[in-house]
Amino acid sequence: MNLGRKRTYDVTERGANMKTDVLIIGGGVIGCGIAHQLCKYNFDVTLVEKEADVCMGTSKANSSMLHDGYNVDRTKLKGQLVLKATKEIYQDLAKDLHFDLNICGSLLPGFEESDWAAIHHQFEMSADNGIRGVRIVGQEELHELEPHMNPDAKFALFNPNTGVLNPFELTIALGEHAVLNGAKVLLNTEVTGINTEDGKVVSVETTQGTIETKIVINAAGLFSDKVAGMVEHVDYTVKPRKGVYFLYDKQYGDFIKRPIYSAPTAVSKGLIMLPTTEGNILCGSNAILHDDKEDLSTDLESLNHIYSEAIHKYYPELPRMGDVTTIFAGNRAVSNTEDFIIGHSKTVRGMINLIGIQSPGLSSVPAIANMVEDLVREVGDDLNFNIKDDYNPKRPKPVILRELPYEERAKFIAENPDYGTIICRCETVSKGEILDAIRRPIPATNLDAIKRRVRAGMGRCQGGFCGPRVVGILEKELGISPLEVTKRGKSSYILSMRAKELALQEGGSSDEKVIL
């Protein structure tokens, strides 16, 4: 079903000031998950995001893993929550909201006898945490499970319950589902202050105006400590922990069958190699605590460490360069407690904070959203928690042309010829799908937003072929100058000046032009 429609969501369309019952700050997977949880009830829910799209922070640069909590510390909140968010909950969510999920299991291999103690300890933890099916496999079965693994690997811990999902799809699906059920998503809307009266939240100041609200839910990720500090002194901090990743071309897509862990460390689950739901291989990441929350640079030392300690160690046939389509980094929001902090403000009623939601935050989303709903009920005395008469638990499935049988493709193309014009050859993305992305409930208004929804620009050429064509589509659909088209919003402009007009013939039948 086509999700595209001519509609945008911007606070400026509603005037400088507006009202809502519950205001969520932050459009990552946590904020969108909370909006998805609350949108069923008979009160107004609004989500504000300072960037030009949802899924722009930690949510867009993580390991894509669905952890089952087999090795978590149950004395910590993050351990308790991930154990509640079972794979069955995610499987149901994937069916309702249409995002890719692959429950394929995972392996923690060992090479030497010295590895045995660590693997056996993980096995005992899985039993203590009530995770079924986890077992230690010998060398023969290990290499049946992973034929391309280094033949020196002698045994492994096999967990059949873990999996891989697409964090872009999940975040966008949660947010779009909320919008389709009446929630509002306001992009390019940064919170600059929170107003209180008589110890209660009354409104939020943003770069687009003042929003009156009864409850504020602070899901601002790396900046959640700053937002919490707008109403009271806080005794916690959030620092970024950077992780660097390799992404391999799809020609290696079947090389690794399931996520492979290296030995866990004091600050991470270890390095991970996994097959993405889109057919690439993702490898990473290290864990470096630093100070700059905006720093997403990569460095040679980190890349060499990941390659030597994980990629080459477990899969020596994978190259260091050449078939790596891109490298990137992400920052995780780490509290000084090394745990999730979720709860009411100490001094202000109606302020709910979510602090330090790092791994396994992605896996914990349903449990976190349930916990936040309980907190909202505690302070939302006048909110109507009756479910809306027109609430729909499902989101229509977007058109993904490359996944359709040829007969179905032909049907879509016959109804709309734009589906027959391929813009991104690497990923087989049509003009129709790009137009759908621009018109969806949370609109894609820049190149990266379109990339996250339909994968145009994610292939081997990284947008070298389709990039100019996508610029041309954005120009016409949004009614803007090509000089206003951005890569990721704000001032990330693609073009700096008009040089010439180049007619791009699409199959010899189009007279569309793009400004280069």
Side-chain angles (χ1 to χ4, degrees), residues 142-152 251-257 281 311-318:
L142 169 59
H143 292 287
E144 288 176 357
L145 292 168
E146 288 294 326
H148 295 287
M149 183 172 285
N150 188 334
D152 292 337
Q251 73 178 68
Y252 289 101
D254 199 40
F255 203 77
I256 297 177
K257 307 294 185 183
I281 293 176
I311 301 172
H312 186 70
K313 178 179 179 180
Y314 294 96
Y315 292 91
E317 295 177 59
L318 286 174

Side-chain angles (χ1 to χ4, degrees), residues 473-490:
I473 294 171
L474 283 166
E475 170 201 354
K476 289 195 171 184
E477 184 67 9
L478 299 179
I480 61 176
S481 162
L483 300 178
E484 297 176 88
V485 177
T486 66
K487 183 177 187 300
R488 58 182 178 275
K490 295 184 177 177

Side-chain angles (χ1 to χ4, degrees), residues 84-307:
K84 290 180 180 179
T86 65
K87 68 178 181 181
E88 289 79 14
I89 291 174
Y90 264 95
Q91 287 170 325
D92 289 342
L93 204 59
K95 290 177 184 176
D96 285 346
L97 303 187
H98 299 291
F99 60 87
D100 288 334
L101 172 66
N102 180 18
I103 305 297
C104 50
S106 62
L107 288 165
L108 171 58
F111 289 81
E112 309 293 339
E113 289 304 316
S114 58
D115 296 329
W116 176 259
I119 288 177
H120 193 265
H121 175 65
Q122 297 275 302
F123 174 71
E124 290 179 329
M125 289 184 72
S126 70
D128 291 341
N129 287 331
I131 306 299
R132 298 180 178 180
V134 180
R135 57 193 175 89
I136 297 176
V137 300
Q139 190 168 31
E140 182 177 352
E141 185 176 1
L142 169 59
H143 292 287
E144 288 176 357
L145 292 168
E146 288 294 326
H148 295 287
M149 183 172 285
N150 188 334
D152 292 337
K154 293 182 172 60
F155 46 83
L157 184 72
F158 175 60
N159 182 354
N161 306 300
T162 52
V164 180
L165 52 75
N166 183 324
F168 308 146
E169 285 185 349
L170 173 61
T171 305
I172 292 166
L174 291 166
E176 286 188 345
H177 173 262
V179 171
L180 290 168
N181 282 285
K184 306 170 191 68
V185 172
L186 310 179
L187 304 174
N188 297 306
T189 306
E190 183 173 359
V191 171
T192 57
I194 300 175
N195 302 315
T196 64
E197 290 180 7
D198 300 323
K200 295 181 181 180
V201 168
V202 293
S203 64
V204 173
E205 301 294 337
T206 79
T207 51
Q208 300 289 355
T210 302
I211 303 174
E212 294 182 30
T213 186
K214 300 171 182 177
I215 296 173
V216 171
I217 299 173
N218 170 19
L222 284 160
F223 300 92
S224 55
D225 55 343
K226 176 183 175 182
V227 171
M230 291 178 178
V231 300
E232 65 184 355
H233 173 75
V234 295
D235 57 3
Y236 45 75
T237 59
V238 174
K239 296 192 70 173
R241 182 177 284 146
K242 185 189 291 188
V244 176
Y245 293 88
F246 286 76
L247 188 70
Y248 281 86
D249 185 69
K250 285 186 176 181
Q251 73 178 68
Y252 289 101
D254 199 40
F255 203 77
I256 297 177
K257 307 294 185 183
R258 56 191 49 78
I260 309 297
Y261 291 99
S262 69
T265 70
V267 296
S268 79
K269 294 179 177 62
L271 300 173
I272 300 175
M273 295 141 284
L274 59 85
T276 70
T277 57
E278 298 79 34
N280 302 94
I281 293 176
L282 180 67
C283 302
S285 71
N286 55 345
I288 300 175
L289 201 65
H290 62 117
D291 294 316
D292 187 350
K293 296 179 180 183
E294 304 281 3
D295 179 12
L296 294 175
S297 62
T298 59
D299 64 281
L300 185 60
E301 182 180 356
S302 293
L303 294 168
N304 286 340
H305 171 75
I306 293 166
Y307 184 75

